[in-house]
């Protein structure tokens, strides 16, 4: 049985979210303790809660929503890169030779901040995105809440992703994952009209 790493945040009450965004909540609709034959509940959450996949619609008003995006970028061989110590943004020099790898995930945290919002998270330089695209990369992932800095108004890294029609994973948890090659499985939910979707992201050891 090949080893699996779960690289997803737990969705839960109190989950740190982008300042001003919708808090995560899970509330009962019907409960067995009240005589219902089953327990049923409801979720309220930001589309960008926890570990998620941005849809192109997030940064392009004419972009595909989460239901329309193809699945191929979110499934397949990927390279995990140790980008700890990158400071404000990951520069091109951080990325090793890719040799045809189409998915790259960046670890920037020593220890993922599960219980606090980090406003000074590491972003990715737009030039790095463009360089990855030129190498044939189709998906870029990171363990921070966004490819762009929290105070960005121009979203230059997302615009570089748009220009190359790449896909994005954010909010990954890579603390326990050694740098190297893995199989990535992180499929967005087919949510009509959504600008992003939570994903259950895992890495599986390659045979
Ligand atoms: N929830 C938000 C609300 C407003 C602005 C940004 C966010 C984000 O979460 C950042 C997002 N994950 C991004 O793709 O950059
Ligand atoms: Zn996002
Ligand atoms: Zn994003």
């Amino acid at each position: 049985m090949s080893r699996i790493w779960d690289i997803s945040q737990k969705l839960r009450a109190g989950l740190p979210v982008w300042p001003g965004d919708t808090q995560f909540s899970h509330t009962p609709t019907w409960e067995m303790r009240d005589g219902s034959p089953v327990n049923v509940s409801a979720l309220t959450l930001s589309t960008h809660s926890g570990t998620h996949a941005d849809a192109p619609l997030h940064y392009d008003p004419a972009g595909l929503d989460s239901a329309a995006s193809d699945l191929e970028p979110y499934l397949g061989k990927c390279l995990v890169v140790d980008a700890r110590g990158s400071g404000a943004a990951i520069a091109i020099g951080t990325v090793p030779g890719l040799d045809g790898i189409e998915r790259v995930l960046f670890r920037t945290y020593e220890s993922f901040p599960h219980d606090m919002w980090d406003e000074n998270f590491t972003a990715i330089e737009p030039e790095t995105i463009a360089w990855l695209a030129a190498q044939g990369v189709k998906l870029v992932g990171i363990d921070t809440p966004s490819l762009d800095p929290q105070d960005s108004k121009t979203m230059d890294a997302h615009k570089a992703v748009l220009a190359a029609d790449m896909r994005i994973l954010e909010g990954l948890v890579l603390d326990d994952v050694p740098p190297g090659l893995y199989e990535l499985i992180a499929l967005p939910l087919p949510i009509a009209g959504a600008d992003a979707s939570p994903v259950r992201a895992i890495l599986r050891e390659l045979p």
Side-chain angles (χ1 to χ4, degrees), residues 8-46:
S8 312
Q9 296 178 57
K10 183 185 289 187
L11 295 174
R12 67 203 191 276
L15 175 76
V17 297
W18 195 273
D21 204 356
T22 306
Q23 292 294 326
F24 177 90
S25 73
H26 168 251
T27 52
T29 304
W30 294 291
E31 292 188 289
M32 296 176 79
R33 65 182 175 192
D34 297 335
S36 168
V38 291
N39 290 315
V40 176
S41 49
L43 296 175
T44 302
L45 71 163
S46 165

mmCIF file of all heavy atoms in Angstrom, residues 8-46:
data_model
loop_
_atom_site.group_PDB
_atom_site.id
_atom_site.type_symbol
_atom_site.label_atom_id
_atom_site.label_comp_id
_atom_site.label_asym_id
_atom_site.label_seq_id
_atom_site.Cartn_x
_atom_site.Cartn_y
_atom_site.Cartn_z
ATOM 1 N N SER A 8 -4.429 18.610 3.746
ATOM 2 C CA SER A 8 -5.632 19.456 3.832
ATOM 3 C C SER A 8 -5.833 19.977 5.250
ATOM 4 O O SER A 8 -5.604 19.245 6.212
ATOM 5 C CB SER A 8 -6.876 18.637 3.459
ATOM 6 O OG SER A 8 -6.671 17.922 2.262
ATOM 7 N N GLN A 9 -6.302 21.222 5.353
ATOM 8 C CA GLN A 9 -6.711 21.747 6.659
ATOM 9 C C GLN A 9 -8.046 21.128 7.069
ATOM 10 O O GLN A 9 -8.845 20.781 6.200
ATOM 11 C CB GLN A 9 -6.885 23.269 6.592
ATOM 12 C CG GLN A 9 -5.609 24.055 6.287
ATOM 13 C CD GLN A 9 -5.913 25.536 6.207
ATOM 14 O OE1 GLN A 9 -6.438 26.139 7.158
ATOM 15 N NE2 GLN A 9 -5.592 26.148 5.069
ATOM 16 N N LYS A 10 -8.255 21.037 8.387
ATOM 17 C CA LYS A 10 -9.554 20.578 8.878
ATOM 18 C C LYS A 10 -10.526 21.763 8.857
ATOM 19 O O LYS A 10 -10.201 22.858 9.343
ATOM 20 C CB LYS A 10 -9.433 20.049 10.310
ATOM 21 C CG LYS A 10 -10.741 19.477 10.849
ATOM 22 C CD LYS A 10 -10.630 19.083 12.303
ATOM 23 C CE LYS A 10 -9.762 17.859 12.502
ATOM 24 N NZ LYS A 10 -9.801 17.385 13.932
ATOM 25 N N LEU A 11 -11.698 21.586 8.242
ATOM 26 C CA LEU A 11 -12.728 22.637 8.242
ATOM 27 C C LEU A 11 -13.512 22.522 9.539
ATOM 28 O O LEU A 11 -14.081 21.475 9.828
ATOM 29 C CB LEU A 11 -13.642 22.479 7.026
ATOM 30 C CG LEU A 11 -12.974 22.680 5.667
ATOM 31 C CD1 LEU A 11 -13.950 22.340 4.545
ATOM 32 C CD2 LEU A 11 -12.439 24.084 5.523
ATOM 33 N N ARG A 12 -13.531 23.611 10.298
ATOM 34 C CA ARG A 12 -14.076 23.537 11.658
ATOM 35 C C ARG A 12 -14.456 24.914 12.152
ATOM 36 O O ARG A 12 -13.983 25.918 11.606
ATOM 37 C CB ARG A 12 -13.009 22.953 12.581
ATOM 38 C CG ARG A 12 -11.816 23.899 12.739
ATOM 39 C CD ARG A 12 -10.555 23.208 13.156
ATOM 40 N NE ARG A 12 -9.503 24.156 13.549
ATOM 41 C CZ ARG A 12 -8.681 24.754 12.667
ATOM 42 N NH1 ARG A 12 -8.784 24.512 11.373
ATOM 43 N NH2 ARG A 12 -7.752 25.611 13.088
ATOM 44 N N ALA A 13 -15.304 24.975 13.135
ATOM 45 C CA ALA A 13 -15.629 26.269 13.745
ATOM 46 C C ALA A 13 -14.330 26.893 14.256
ATOM 47 O O ALA A 13 -13.478 26.207 14.808
ATOM 48 C CB ALA A 13 -16.610 26.074 14.881
ATOM 49 N N GLY A 14 -14.174 28.207 13.997
ATOM 50 C CA GLY A 14 -12.963 28.894 14.442
ATOM 51 C C GLY A 14 -11.835 28.834 13.430
ATOM 52 O O GLY A 14 -10.744 29.373 13.675
ATOM 53 N N LEU A 15 -12.081 28.215 12.275
ATOM 54 C CA LEU A 15 -11.044 28.155 11.230
ATOM 55 C C LEU A 15 -10.598 29.571 10.874
ATOM 56 O O LEU A 15 -11.441 30.421 10.558
ATOM 57 C CB LEU A 15 -11.633 27.478 9.985
ATOM 58 C CG LEU A 15 -10.759 27.425 8.747
ATOM 59 C CD1 LEU A 15 -9.674 26.354 8.913
ATOM 60 C CD2 LEU A 15 -11.607 27.157 7.508
ATOM 61 N N PRO A 16 -9.312 29.890 10.926
ATOM 62 C CA PRO A 16 -8.868 31.231 10.513
ATOM 63 C C PRO A 16 -9.203 31.474 9.043
ATOM 64 O O PRO A 16 -8.912 30.615 8.200
ATOM 65 C CB PRO A 16 -7.356 31.195 10.748
ATOM 66 C CG PRO A 16 -7.146 30.108 11.755
ATOM 67 C CD PRO A 16 -8.197 29.079 11.455
ATOM 68 N N VAL A 17 -9.850 32.618 8.769
ATOM 69 C CA VAL A 17 -10.199 32.950 7.380
ATOM 70 C C VAL A 17 -9.692 34.344 7.053
ATOM 71 O O VAL A 17 -9.324 35.120 7.934
ATOM 72 C CB VAL A 17 -11.727 32.873 7.137
ATOM 73 C CG1 VAL A 17 -12.247 31.460 7.338
ATOM 74 C CG2 VAL A 17 -12.486 33.888 7.990
ATOM 75 N N TRP A 18 -9.731 34.671 5.783
ATOM 76 C CA TRP A 18 -9.296 35.986 5.309
ATOM 77 C C TRP A 18 -10.052 37.079 6.068
ATOM 78 O O TRP A 18 -11.258 36.951 6.264
ATOM 79 C CB TRP A 18 -9.585 36.102 3.820
ATOM 80 C CG TRP A 18 -8.892 37.218 3.132
ATOM 81 C CD1 TRP A 18 -9.327 38.505 3.013
ATOM 82 C CD2 TRP A 18 -7.641 37.149 2.434
ATOM 83 N NE1 TRP A 18 -8.421 39.229 2.285
ATOM 84 C CE2 TRP A 18 -7.391 38.433 1.920
ATOM 85 C CE3 TRP A 18 -6.724 36.124 2.182
ATOM 86 C CZ2 TRP A 18 -6.249 38.715 1.178
ATOM 87 C CZ3 TRP A 18 -5.598 36.403 1.442
ATOM 88 C CH2 TRP A 18 -5.365 37.691 0.953
ATOM 89 N N PRO A 19 -9.390 38.117 6.515
ATOM 90 C CA PRO A 19 -10.060 39.159 7.300
ATOM 91 C C PRO A 19 -11.337 39.662 6.617
ATOM 92 O O PRO A 19 -11.311 40.027 5.436
ATOM 93 C CB PRO A 19 -9.008 40.266 7.376
ATOM 94 C CG PRO A 19 -7.706 39.549 7.256
ATOM 95 C CD PRO A 19 -7.949 38.383 6.324
ATOM 96 N N GLY A 20 -12.463 39.599 7.320
ATOM 97 C CA GLY A 20 -13.739 40.080 6.783
ATOM 98 C C GLY A 20 -14.515 39.038 6.012
ATOM 99 O O GLY A 20 -15.677 39.274 5.651
ATOM 100 N N ASP A 21 -13.901 37.894 5.734
ATOM 101 C CA ASP A 21 -14.606 36.870 4.953
ATOM 102 C C ASP A 21 -15.542 36.060 5.855
ATOM 103 O O ASP A 21 -15.532 36.207 7.082
ATOM 104 C CB ASP A 21 -13.591 35.952 4.262
ATOM 105 C CG ASP A 21 -14.192 35.278 3.025
ATOM 106 O OD1 ASP A 21 -15.398 35.479 2.766
ATOM 107 O OD2 ASP A 21 -13.469 34.575 2.322
ATOM 108 N N THR A 22 -16.320 35.201 5.242
ATOM 109 C CA THR A 22 -17.327 34.413 5.947
ATOM 110 C C THR A 22 -16.671 33.406 6.891
ATOM 111 O O THR A 22 -15.784 32.656 6.454
ATOM 112 C CB THR A 22 -18.194 33.651 4.922
ATOM 113 O OG1 THR A 22 -18.722 34.593 3.979
ATOM 114 C CG2 THR A 22 -19.329 32.899 5.589
ATOM 115 N N GLN A 23 -17.110 33.393 8.134
ATOM 116 C CA GLN A 23 -16.603 32.396 9.081
ATOM 117 C C GLN A 23 -17.199 31.037 8.743
ATOM 118 O O GLN A 23 -18.337 30.942 8.254
ATOM 119 C CB GLN A 23 -17.011 32.788 10.514
ATOM 120 C CG GLN A 23 -16.317 34.051 11.045
ATOM 121 C CD GLN A 23 -14.817 33.879 11.214
ATOM 122 O OE1 GLN A 23 -14.339 32.787 11.544
ATOM 123 N NE2 GLN A 23 -14.075 34.958 10.945
ATOM 124 N N PHE A 24 -16.465 29.978 9.054
ATOM 125 C CA PHE A 24 -16.973 28.620 8.845
ATOM 126 C C PHE A 24 -18.022 28.304 9.915
ATOM 127 O O PHE A 24 -17.804 28.592 11.109
ATOM 128 C CB PHE A 24 -15.851 27.599 8.954
ATOM 129 C CG PHE A 24 -16.328 26.170 8.829
ATOM 130 C CD1 PHE A 24 -16.401 25.553 7.598
ATOM 131 C CD2 PHE A 24 -16.763 25.474 9.944
ATOM 132 C CE1 PHE A 24 -16.860 24.251 7.473
ATOM 133 C CE2 PHE A 24 -17.234 24.171 9.831
ATOM 134 C CZ PHE A 24 -17.282 23.554 8.587
ATOM 135 N N SER A 25 -19.164 27.770 9.495
ATOM 136 C CA SER A 25 -20.101 27.271 10.515
ATOM 137 C C SER A 25 -20.787 26.000 10.014
ATOM 138 O O SER A 25 -20.994 25.831 8.801
ATOM 139 C CB SER A 25 -21.145 28.326 10.873
ATOM 140 O OG SER A 25 -22.076 28.460 9.822
ATOM 141 N N HIS A 26 -21.100 25.129 10.949
ATOM 142 C CA HIS A 26 -21.755 23.847 10.670
ATOM 143 C C HIS A 26 -22.910 23.746 11.652
ATOM 144 O O HIS A 26 -22.685 23.745 12.867
ATOM 145 C CB HIS A 26 -20.744 22.716 10.875
ATOM 146 C CG HIS A 26 -21.383 21.359 10.886
ATOM 147 N ND1 HIS A 26 -21.499 20.588 12.028
ATOM 148 C CD2 HIS A 26 -21.970 20.652 9.896
ATOM 149 C CE1 HIS A 26 -22.105 19.449 11.740
ATOM 150 N NE2 HIS A 26 -22.404 19.472 10.457
ATOM 151 N N THR A 27 -24.134 23.761 11.144
ATOM 152 C CA THR A 27 -25.294 23.806 12.044
ATOM 153 C C THR A 27 -26.274 22.674 11.721
ATOM 154 O O THR A 27 -26.503 22.372 10.536
ATOM 155 C CB THR A 27 -26.034 25.153 11.882
ATOM 156 O OG1 THR A 27 -26.306 25.352 10.485
ATOM 157 C CG2 THR A 27 -25.181 26.302 12.374
ATOM 158 N N PRO A 28 -26.888 22.067 12.765
ATOM 159 C CA PRO A 28 -27.849 20.985 12.525
ATOM 160 C C PRO A 28 -29.126 21.518 11.873
ATOM 161 O O PRO A 28 -29.580 22.615 12.193
ATOM 162 C CB PRO A 28 -28.127 20.436 13.928
ATOM 163 C CG PRO A 28 -27.719 21.502 14.877
ATOM 164 C CD PRO A 28 -26.700 22.359 14.195
ATOM 165 N N THR A 29 -29.674 20.710 10.969
ATOM 166 C CA THR A 29 -30.981 21.019 10.386
ATOM 167 C C THR A 29 -32.037 20.134 11.030
ATOM 168 O O THR A 29 -33.054 20.602 11.531
ATOM 169 C CB THR A 29 -30.949 20.785 8.854
ATOM 170 O OG1 THR A 29 -29.877 21.572 8.312
ATOM 171 C CG2 THR A 29 -32.274 21.160 8.222
ATOM 172 N N TRP A 30 -31.809 18.807 11.012
ATOM 173 C CA TRP A 30 -32.658 17.844 11.728
ATOM 174 C C TRP A 30 -31.748 16.984 12.592
ATOM 175 O O TRP A 30 -30.620 16.652 12.182
ATOM 176 C CB TRP A 30 -33.417 16.937 10.746
ATOM 177 C CG TRP A 30 -34.431 17.659 9.914
ATOM 178 C CD1 TRP A 30 -35.603 18.209 10.352
ATOM 179 C CD2 TRP A 30 -34.357 17.912 8.507
ATOM 180 N NE1 TRP A 30 -36.271 18.797 9.288
ATOM 181 C CE2 TRP A 30 -35.525 18.608 8.152
ATOM 182 C CE3 TRP A 30 -33.414 17.594 7.524
ATOM 183 C CZ2 TRP A 30 -35.788 19.016 6.842
ATOM 184 C CZ3 TRP A 30 -33.677 17.998 6.215
ATOM 185 C CH2 TRP A 30 -34.843 18.700 5.885
ATOM 186 N N GLU A 31 -32.209 16.581 13.777
ATOM 187 C CA GLU A 31 -31.396 15.762 14.657
ATOM 188 C C GLU A 31 -32.172 14.561 15.185
ATOM 189 O O GLU A 31 -33.361 14.672 15.544
ATOM 190 C CB GLU A 31 -30.892 16.603 15.833
ATOM 191 C CG GLU A 31 -29.891 17.673 15.403
ATOM 192 C CD GLU A 31 -29.253 18.376 16.596
ATOM 193 O OE1 GLU A 31 -29.965 19.145 17.268
ATOM 194 O OE2 GLU A 31 -28.048 18.120 16.856
ATOM 195 N N MET A 32 -31.486 13.417 15.263
ATOM 196 C CA MET A 32 -32.101 12.175 15.734
ATOM 197 C C MET A 32 -32.545 12.305 17.177
ATOM 198 O O MET A 32 -33.579 11.775 17.579
ATOM 199 C CB MET A 32 -31.124 11.005 15.555
ATOM 200 C CG MET A 32 -30.806 10.746 14.090
ATOM 201 S SD MET A 32 -29.584 9.447 13.843
ATOM 202 C CE MET A 32 -30.614 8.000 14.073
ATOM 203 N N ARG A 33 -31.751 13.133 17.937
ATOM 204 C CA ARG A 33 -32.123 13.269 19.358
ATOM 205 C C ARG A 33 -33.460 13.994 19.504
ATOM 206 O O ARG A 33 -34.074 14.002 20.565
ATOM 207 C CB ARG A 33 -31.023 13.977 20.134
ATOM 208 C CG ARG A 33 -30.790 15.412 19.719
ATOM 209 C CD ARG A 33 -29.651 15.986 20.528
ATOM 210 N NE ARG A 33 -29.285 17.336 20.110
ATOM 211 C CZ ARG A 33 -28.177 17.945 20.524
ATOM 212 N NH1 ARG A 33 -27.338 17.305 21.337
ATOM 213 N NH2 ARG A 33 -27.905 19.169 20.140
ATOM 214 N N ASP A 34 -33.909 14.632 18.420
ATOM 215 C CA ASP A 34 -35.210 15.304 18.446
ATOM 216 C C ASP A 34 -36.287 14.478 17.745
ATOM 217 O O ASP A 34 -37.368 14.984 17.436
ATOM 218 C CB ASP A 34 -35.116 16.678 17.764
ATOM 219 C CG ASP A 34 -34.169 17.617 18.495
ATOM 220 O OD1 ASP A 34 -33.980 17.409 19.720
ATOM 221 O OD2 ASP A 34 -33.597 18.508 17.826
ATOM 222 N N GLY A 35 -35.952 13.219 17.401
ATOM 223 C CA GLY A 35 -36.952 12.352 16.781
ATOM 224 C C GLY A 35 -36.787 12.188 15.282
ATOM 225 O O GLY A 35 -37.493 11.413 14.644
ATOM 226 N N SER A 36 -35.870 12.929 14.692
ATOM 227 C CA SER A 36 -35.666 12.753 13.253
ATOM 228 C C SER A 36 -35.051 11.380 12.988
ATOM 229 O O SER A 36 -34.227 10.908 13.785
ATOM 230 C CB SER A 36 -34.714 13.841 12.725
ATOM 231 O OG SER A 36 -34.300 13.526 11.407
ATOM 232 N N PRO A 37 -35.407 10.734 11.883
ATOM 233 C CA PRO A 37 -34.815 9.424 11.557
ATOM 234 C C PRO A 37 -33.327 9.513 11.222
ATOM 235 O O PRO A 37 -32.623 8.508 11.231
ATOM 236 C CB PRO A 37 -35.630 8.943 10.356
ATOM 237 C CG PRO A 37 -36.237 10.165 9.762
ATOM 238 C CD PRO A 37 -36.445 11.130 10.901
ATOM 239 N N VAL A 38 -32.879 10.736 10.919
ATOM 240 C CA VAL A 38 -31.461 10.911 10.583
ATOM 241 C C VAL A 38 -30.962 12.263 11.087
ATOM 242 O O VAL A 38 -31.769 13.158 11.400
ATOM 243 C CB VAL A 38 -31.259 10.844 9.042
ATOM 244 C CG1 VAL A 38 -31.511 9.437 8.530
ATOM 245 C CG2 VAL A 38 -32.136 11.865 8.340
ATOM 246 N N ASN A 39 -29.657 12.402 11.160
ATOM 247 C CA ASN A 39 -29.033 13.700 11.438
ATOM 248 C C ASN A 39 -28.682 14.343 10.112
ATOM 249 O O ASN A 39 -28.048 13.709 9.249
ATOM 250 C CB ASN A 39 -27.755 13.534 12.268
ATOM 251 C CG ASN A 39 -28.050 13.089 13.681
ATOM 252 O OD1 ASN A 39 -28.958 13.615 14.334
ATOM 253 N ND2 ASN A 39 -27.294 12.104 14.156
ATOM 254 N N VAL A 40 -29.095 15.575 9.926
ATOM 255 C CA VAL A 40 -28.732 16.330 8.718
ATOM 256 C C VAL A 40 -28.301 17.716 9.160
ATOM 257 O O VAL A 40 -28.882 18.280 10.100
ATOM 258 C CB VAL A 40 -29.943 16.444 7.755
ATOM 259 C CG1 VAL A 40 -29.595 17.307 6.550
ATOM 260 C CG2 VAL A 40 -30.411 15.062 7.308
ATOM 261 N N SER A 41 -27.258 18.254 8.521
ATOM 262 C CA SER A 41 -26.775 19.572 8.938
ATOM 263 C C SER A 41 -26.433 20.424 7.724
ATOM 264 O O SER A 41 -26.529 19.972 6.577
ATOM 265 C CB SER A 41 -25.542 19.404 9.841
ATOM 266 O OG SER A 41 -24.605 18.529 9.247
ATOM 267 N N ALA A 42 -26.049 21.662 7.996
ATOM 268 C CA ALA A 42 -25.772 22.629 6.908
ATOM 269 C C ALA A 42 -24.418 23.295 7.165
ATOM 270 O O ALA A 42 -23.987 23.464 8.304
ATOM 271 C CB ALA A 42 -26.874 23.679 6.860
ATOM 272 N N LEU A 43 -23.761 23.676 6.071
ATOM 273 C CA LEU A 43 -22.462 24.352 6.131
ATOM 274 C C LEU A 43 -22.599 25.768 5.617
ATOM 275 O O LEU A 43 -23.293 26.009 4.599
ATOM 276 C CB LEU A 43 -21.439 23.620 5.244
ATOM 277 C CG LEU A 43 -21.048 22.192 5.616
ATOM 278 C CD1 LEU A 43 -20.136 21.616 4.540
ATOM 279 C CD2 LEU A 43 -20.376 22.185 6.974
ATOM 280 N N THR A 44 -21.913 26.685 6.302
ATOM 281 C CA THR A 44 -21.723 28.030 5.765
ATOM 282 C C THR A 44 -20.226 28.291 5.757
ATOM 283 O O THR A 44 -19.554 28.138 6.800
ATOM 284 C CB THR A 44 -22.418 29.092 6.643
ATOM 285 O OG1 THR A 44 -23.804 28.785 6.726
ATOM 286 C CG2 THR A 44 -22.220 30.491 6.054
ATOM 287 N N LEU A 45 -19.660 28.643 4.596
ATOM 288 C CA LEU A 45 -18.209 28.852 4.536
ATOM 289 C C LEU A 45 -17.857 29.674 3.316
ATOM 290 O O LEU A 45 -18.598 29.704 2.338
ATOM 291 C CB LEU A 45 -17.461 27.516 4.502
ATOM 292 C CG LEU A 45 -17.516 26.638 3.253
ATOM 293 C CD1 LEU A 45 -16.386 25.615 3.312
ATOM 294 C CD2 LEU A 45 -18.840 25.916 3.110
ATOM 295 N N SER A 46 -16.715 30.344 3.394
ATOM 296 C CA SER A 46 -16.159 31.019 2.228
ATOM 297 C C SER A 46 -15.685 29.972 1.226
ATOM 298 O O SER A 46 -15.186 28.915 1.619
ATOM 299 C CB SER A 46 -14.964 31.900 2.631
ATOM 300 O OG SER A 46 -14.216 32.275 1.476
#
